[in-house]
């Protein structure tokens, strides 16, 4: 890892670690990723992709739909009844659905 990347990760950790006990609570971490994306730390797409990959460590590239549902909930992205019928979701489909829904939400708020 380069010095620049290391500094970026250190900056991210410090911005998420709010009570100075050296730990980050999972929900706060994910919400902070999303909130910090507006400040240029990560793009929204990067936040979602990183979150998905953290959940998929040790899996075959996908995650259980319960985990996807939790991620969407933490990022205020809606889930559909069609989603609930699936057992697993792969990264590409998760990203496609997430970004599309975020765009729909954004359009609805601009009406």
């Amino acid at each position: 890892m380069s010095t620049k990347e290391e500094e970026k990760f250190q900056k991210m950790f410090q911005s998420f670690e709010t009570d100075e006990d050296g730990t980050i609570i999972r929900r706060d971490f994910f919400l902070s990723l999303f909130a910090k994306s507006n400040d240029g730390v990560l793009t929204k797409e990067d936040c979602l992709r990183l979150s998905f990959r953290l959940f998929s460590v040790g899996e075959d590239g996908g995650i259980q739909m319960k985990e996807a549902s939790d991620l969407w909930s933490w990022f205020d992205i809606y889930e559909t009844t069609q989603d609930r019928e699936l057992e697993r979701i792969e990264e590409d489909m998760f990203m496609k659905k997430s970004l599309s829904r975020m765009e729909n939400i954004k359009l609805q708020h601009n009406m």
Side-chain angles (χ1 to χ4, degrees), residues 63-67 83-89:
I63 61 174
Q64 297 293 321
M65 280 307 298
K66 170 67 174 114
E67 295 169 324
D83 295 329
R84 293 184 196 113
E85 295 173 4
L86 301 172
E87 289 183 34
R88 294 181 59 78
I89 189 167

Side-chain angles (χ1 to χ4, degrees), residues 1-45:
M1 180 181 315
S2 73
T3 303
K4 186 176 181 178
E5 289 173 323
E6 199 170 309
E7 289 172 356
K8 186 176 186 179
F9 284 117
Q10 182 64 28
K11 180 181 175 184
M12 282 184 356
F13 180 83
Q14 290 171 343
S15 68
F16 303 140
E17 202 274 324
T18 57
D19 58 6
E20 299 179 8
D21 69 352
T23 61
I24 301 171
I25 298 170
R26 184 172 62 177
R27 179 167 169 51
D28 292 339
F29 173 75
F30 288 114
L31 292 175
S32 294
L33 279 177
F34 192 66
K36 300 296 180 191
S37 69
N38 294 328
D39 297 331
V41 176
L42 294 174
T43 66
K44 290 178 184 178
E45 184 173 349

Side-chain angles (χ1 to χ4, degrees), residues 42-59:
L42 294 174
T43 66
K44 290 178 184 178
E45 184 173 349
D46 289 340
C47 294
L48 287 164
R49 191 173 306 281
L50 174 61
S51 301
F52 182 93
R53 289 179 179 175
L54 288 171
F55 271 79
S56 68
V57 170
E59 300 289 327

